[in-house]
Amino acid sequence: MSLIIQDLKAKLEKIKAMGFVKTHRAHNTGIGKTLEDLLGIKENNIRLPDVGEIEIKAKRNDSNSMLTLATKSPKPRGINRRLFEQYKYSDAEGYWNLHSTVYGSRTNPQGFRIKYKEGKLFLENTQNIEAYWDEEIFEDVLVSKSNKILLVLAEAKGDTKSGNEQFHYVEAYLLEGLNYDKFHSAIADDYLKIDIRIGVYRSGKNKGKYHDHGTGFRMKKGDFLLLYDNYEKIL
């Protein structure tokens, strides 16, 4: 283990012992900004590795060991609203919803399926409504400006948007050699799934109005690690 990794490991063990730490920034980027501050790394936008030859990425780790690789509505703009109007259903409380988990190997009950083609992920559907994502949405976690990634996972609680979120950084893995063939196979073999969550507000002044809760690309932590040719747990 190199001196850089040994130093990072020691710092991460101290950070883990701190328990939950209040975010240093509101919204989704708070998890990375907070970790950088705790590690003593200055924030920058230069396309260079953060520490030596290692790039640090932080992600929220759900209680069921699922990682959200990206949260993004499909293109073109406004298409989620059209999908909602076409496929919405009334739940037990009488509210309109479109909650759908989509896979690559089969068509789900709503008639959706993921298909990868030429750098895009298409949401196939029975009405032939064009909806897709560019593969670049995964750059935050898949694409590195170095040949190594230090992936740090944190338990999270509180509200992301308000700035009251807290993180407990609990695991860290050194990843090397992303294998895109494995990533594309993960889509086809259902290791990567899409969770569509659209509905309406249930209270307040917007009650009954359209509300997109976010479309998430999710994967089990263990399956995600296998996308890389080499990985090592250091925390």
Side-chain angles (χ1 to χ4, degrees), residues 155-219:
E155 298 170 357
K157 63 181 182 180
D159 181 57
T160 301
K161 294 182 180 180
S162 68
N164 292 322
E165 196 170 18
Q166 297 180 55
F167 306 111
H168 184 198
Y169 299 93
V170 293
E171 291 181 74
Y173 297 86
L174 187 64
L175 311 173
E176 186 175 8
L178 173 66
N179 189 319
Y180 270 97
D181 288 337
K182 292 180 180 179
F183 177 63
H184 297 152
S185 295
I187 298 170
D189 297 335
D190 299 341
Y191 294 114
L192 176 67
K193 64 180 183 178
I194 300 177
D195 283 331
I196 298 173
R197 296 290 180 266
I198 311 174
V200 297
Y201 288 98
R202 296 177 179 243
S203 61
K205 63 180 182 181
N206 292 321
K207 184 176 180 180
K209 291 185 178 180
Y210 173 86
H211 180 43
D212 190 342
H213 299 277
T215 300
F217 291 79
R218 292 158 58 77
M219 194 172 189

Side-chain angles (χ1 to χ4, degrees), residues 2-16:
S2 70
L3 291 176
I4 291 176
I5 298 300
Q6 289 178 8
D7 181 56
L8 280 171
K9 179 177 170 60
K11 289 180 178 179
L12 288 168
E13 287 174 344
K14 291 181 180 179
I15 293 170
K16 181 177 180 178

Side-chain angles (χ1 to χ4, degrees), residues 67-78:
L67 294 179
T68 300
L69 303 192
T71 303
K72 186 74 173 178
S73 297
K75 293 181 178 180
R77 184 178 177 88

Side-chain angles (χ1 to χ4, degrees), residues 210-229:
Y210 173 86
H211 180 43
D212 190 342
H213 299 277
T215 300
F217 291 79
R218 292 158 58 77
M219 194 172 189
K220 287 184 178 179
K221 176 182 64 183
D223 293 331
F224 174 76
L225 297 175
L226 294 176
L227 297 180
Y228 292 82
D229 291 331

